[in-house]
């Protein structure tokens, strides 16, 4: 499923409804780590500490590797696929992450979704996306830039919040498209992008973005039932915006 936004976790926590986010795969039966409110075992933005008898280490490329009695023996009648993910006793999850000094695990991306710019720098899009989605102005975002000179983003604004902001600033529009082409709106969202960029290296920062005039939903096929981005379809639908970003 999609990652829980830290902003939402804080909102629920403030309301007295702590959400204990965890992590695992079907192949790990299905838990690797989980937050636990007891004994200071809860950290917002992480998926908790590993459960008993489970070992996690981070490979040189950032991939999360797991070993323990929870890991499957293999895929049924598929020795080749099993050999791809079970190596030297560790299950290769396909997720990129990090362990902090307190032992909390943080998921940063899917290995297959990382991309390399034309300058040879690797970018983890989910890390940028999750940071930008902490903004109340941004509902969905997809970072792009594979093989391009720089990372950029396609952004679906939070239309309801944006309309409230516009009213407070005595701005009125004849429809969503007019609102999204107003330079004042673009500048305001640029502030949110700049804020999100602060903690990233120069080559990772989103240099440009374009706003999409319609929502990304499960019904229109742009999100999976678990709210993950269907990246290829989003890029295809907004191909003209993508090309405009890179001056083509």
């Amino acid at each position: 499923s999609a990652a829980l936004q830290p902003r939402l976790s804080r909102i629920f926590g403030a309301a007295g409804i702590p959400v204990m986010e965890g992590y695992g795969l079907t192949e790990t039966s299905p838990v690797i780590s989980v937050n636990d409110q007891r004994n200071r075992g809860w950290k917002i933005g992480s998926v908790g500490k590993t459960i008993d008898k489970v070992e996690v280490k981070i490979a040189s490329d950032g991939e999360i590797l797991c070993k323990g009695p929870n890991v499957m023996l293999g895929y049924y009648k598929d020795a080749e696929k099993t050999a791809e993910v079970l190596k030297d006793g560790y299950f290769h999850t396909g997720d990129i992450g990090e362990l902090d000094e307190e032992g909390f695990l943080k998921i940063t991306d899917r290995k297959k979704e990382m991309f390399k710019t034309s300058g040879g720098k690797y970018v983890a899009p989910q890390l940028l996306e999750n940071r930008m989605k902490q903004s109340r102005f941004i509902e969905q975002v997809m970072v792009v830039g594979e093989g391009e000179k720089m990372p950029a983003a396609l952004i679906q604004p939070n239309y309801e919040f944006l309309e409230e902001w516009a009213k407070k600033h005595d701005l009125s529009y004849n429809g969503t498209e007019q609102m999204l082409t107003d330079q004042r709106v673009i500048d305001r969202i640029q502030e949110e992008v700049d804020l999100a960029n602060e903690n990233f290296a120069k080559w990772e920062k989103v240099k440009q973005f374009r706003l999409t005039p319609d929502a990304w939903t499960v019904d229109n096929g742009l999100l999976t039932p678990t709210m993950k981005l269907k990246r290829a379809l989003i890029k295809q639908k907004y191909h003209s915006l993508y090309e405009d970003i890179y001056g083509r």
Side-chain angles (χ1 to χ4, degrees):
S1 62
L4 175 66
Q5 295 179 35
R7 175 175 61 85
L8 294 179
S9 185
R10 292 188 183 95
I11 290 171
F12 279 107
I17 311 172
V19 179
M20 302 292 105
E21 190 174 11
Y23 166 68
L25 301 87
T26 302
E27 293 90 338
T28 60
S29 306
V31 183
I32 291 175
S33 66
V34 67
N35 275 288
D36 186 341
Q37 199 173 14
R38 299 165 296 182
N39 302 318
R40 298 181 179 179
W42 179 29
K43 180 178 282 190
I44 291 175
S46 82
V47 290
K49 297 182 178 181
T50 55
I51 61 174
D52 290 345
K53 299 181 181 179
V54 171
E55 178 188 345
V56 163
K57 70 176 183 178
I58 308 299
S60 59
D61 62 357
E63 185 176 6
I64 299 167
L65 311 182
C66 174
K67 177 193 285 188
N70 60 326
V71 175
M72 67 171 185
L73 297 177
Y75 295 112
Y76 183 62
K77 292 185 177 180
D78 196 336
E80 183 177 350
K81 188 175 181 182
T82 298
E84 290 177 2
V85 298
L86 288 176
K87 303 173 185 177
D88 300 322
Y90 284 90
F91 173 68
H92 290 236
T93 65
D95 290 313
I96 301 296
E98 56 191 40
L99 283 166
D100 70 13
E101 65 281 356
E102 296 177 281
F104 286 93
L105 180 63
K106 183 177 181 181
I107 313 300
T108 57
D109 218 319
R110 284 292 293 170
K111 187 174 180 179
K112 66 181 181 181
E113 290 177 352
M114 291 184 70
F115 63 79
K116 187 163 65 172
T117 64
S118 60
K121 296 290 188 179
Y122 282 96
V123 175
Q126 277 192 17
L127 199 58
L128 285 155
E129 291 159 359
N130 290 338
R131 179 62 186 84
M132 282 191 276
K133 284 196 294 184
Q134 292 184 40
S135 166
R136 297 181 69 185
F137 285 89
I138 298 173
E139 184 70 23
Q140 296 289 349
V141 55
M142 186 175 86
V143 172
V144 296
E146 182 172 8
E148 305 288 0
K149 61 184 178 181
M150 64 186 182
L154 297 170
I155 294 175
Q156 182 228 303
N158 181 332
Y159 304 117
E160 184 177 346
F161 185 78
L162 194 54
E163 287 168 2
E164 291 176 6
W165 174 85
K167 287 179 182 177
K168 288 180 181 178
H169 291 79
D170 297 320
L171 304 175
S172 60
Y173 304 100
N174 294 319
T176 301
E177 291 197 27
Q178 185 186 23
M179 178 173 65
L180 298 186
T181 56
D182 186 332
Q183 192 60 47
R184 291 167 293 187
V185 170
I186 295 170
D187 289 345
R188 183 62 187 85
I189 293 181
Q190 180 69 62
E191 291 179 25
E192 298 298 306
V193 173
D194 291 343
L195 183 63
N197 273 333
E198 285 183 355
N199 295 323
F200 292 92
K202 183 178 179 180
W203 70 85
E204 296 175 298
K205 296 180 189 294
V206 168
K207 306 298 193 301
Q208 290 196 44
F209 66 88
R210 295 294 184 272
L211 304 176
T212 67
D214 36 33
W216 309 357
T217 67
V218 175
D219 290 339
N220 67 17
L222 299 183
L223 300 179
T224 71
T226 55
M227 304 304 289
K228 293 180 181 178
L229 303 176
K230 291 188 177 180
R231 295 180 184 272
L233 292 179
I234 292 170
K235 184 177 177 181
Q236 180 181 354
K237 180 176 177 64
Y238 302 111
H239 181 71
S240 61
L241 294 178
Y242 179 90
E243 292 291 291
D244 185 54
I245 287 172
Y246 294 106
R248 295 194 285 263

